[in-house]
Amino acid sequence: MIQYITNADHYNLVLSRVAAVKQTLWIGTADIKDLHVKCGNDTIPFLGVLAQLIRKRVEVRLIHAKEPGPNFREDFDRYPVLATGLERVLCPRVHFKMLVFDCQTVYIGSANLTGAGIGMKGSTTRNFEAGILTDDPQLVAAAISQFDDVWIGAHCKSCNRRKFCGDPIK
């Protein structure tokens, strides 16, 4: 299956899959903000969903390019399990946007992990985004490989942006 995703479908078809992950969730994004999601009749911070996954012993990895703002940090502090259970890497060169669900399905696209990118914003306030959601083994393997290379710092030694990296992986 390869499904082309646009605009509101990012929330309905991609972000909604996060809560159903069983073993691993890998998230790569250039920008991450104080994103909120529907949870039953309520709206909660996306970080709350990640905290629920971590409590279920799901491995959650996050690569992002820059430190998020104060609203994100405030929500982060509301979920203490994130401080010990969320695996995070900062890489100022990351510009890819991907979510890898249980190493079986992947979203690859343009949407950052923000309200306007992949979140709940309305049709008149959200970004125009595009991406694919697929379980094609070749595409999933390629996305996993790219994510993993950044995760382990495969590019760190030859990176020409190292002086901008506040927390080098290697």
Side-chain angles (χ1 to χ4, degrees):
M1 168 259 325
I2 297 177
Q3 190 170 5
Y4 187 73
I5 307 291
T6 62
N7 305 328
D9 286 340
H10 278 84
Y11 184 82
N12 298 327
L13 300 175
V14 178
L15 203 56
S16 63
R17 291 175 168 262
V18 170
V21 169
K22 301 291 184 217
Q23 296 175 331
T24 59
L25 174 65
W26 293 359
I27 303 167
T29 185
D31 194 11
I32 185 166
K33 292 188 178 171
D34 186 36
L35 175 65
H36 283 70
V37 296
K38 294 176 188 170
C39 185
N41 293 328
D42 293 327
T43 300
I44 65 168
F46 180 68
L47 290 171
V49 176
L50 297 184
Q52 290 171 0
L53 291 174
I54 291 166
R55 285 188 206 103
K56 293 178 185 176
R57 305 215 187 289
V58 171
E59 172 192 284
V60 181
R61 291 183 173 179
L62 170 63
I63 300 174
H64 53 107
K66 61 183 178 180
E67 283 294 347
N71 292 338
F72 177 94
R73 291 192 301 271
E74 186 177 305
D75 279 343
F76 188 93
D77 291 344
R78 290 177 49 199
Y79 303 99
V81 72
L82 296 175
T84 56
L86 176 64
E87 300 178 60
R88 275 185 9 163
V89 166
L90 230 63
C91 175
R93 288 185 57 198
V94 164
H95 201 260
F96 58 68
K97 289 81 173 178
M98 71 173 74
L99 287 96
V100 181
F101 305 97
D102 287 324
C103 295
Q104 300 292 317
T105 306
V106 65
Y107 162 78
I108 305 164
S110 64
N112 280 305
L113 217 55
T114 65
I118 201 166
M120 292 176 47
K121 288 221 175 174
S123 61
T124 61
T125 54
R126 70 168 38 268
N127 297 340
F128 299 119
E129 304 286 1
I132 62 166
L133 180 65
T134 185
D135 60 1
D136 177 273
Q138 287 183 307
L139 290 172
V140 172
I144 288 171
S145 179
Q146 182 181 20
F147 187 101
D148 203 39
D149 280 351
V150 174
W151 185 261
I152 64 172
H155 306 287
C156 289
K157 288 185 180 179
S158 61
C159 179
N160 289 326
R161 308 278 302 160
R162 192 169 179 94
K163 65 183 174 186
F164 300 102
C165 189
D167 189 18
I169 301 164
K170 277 191 173 185

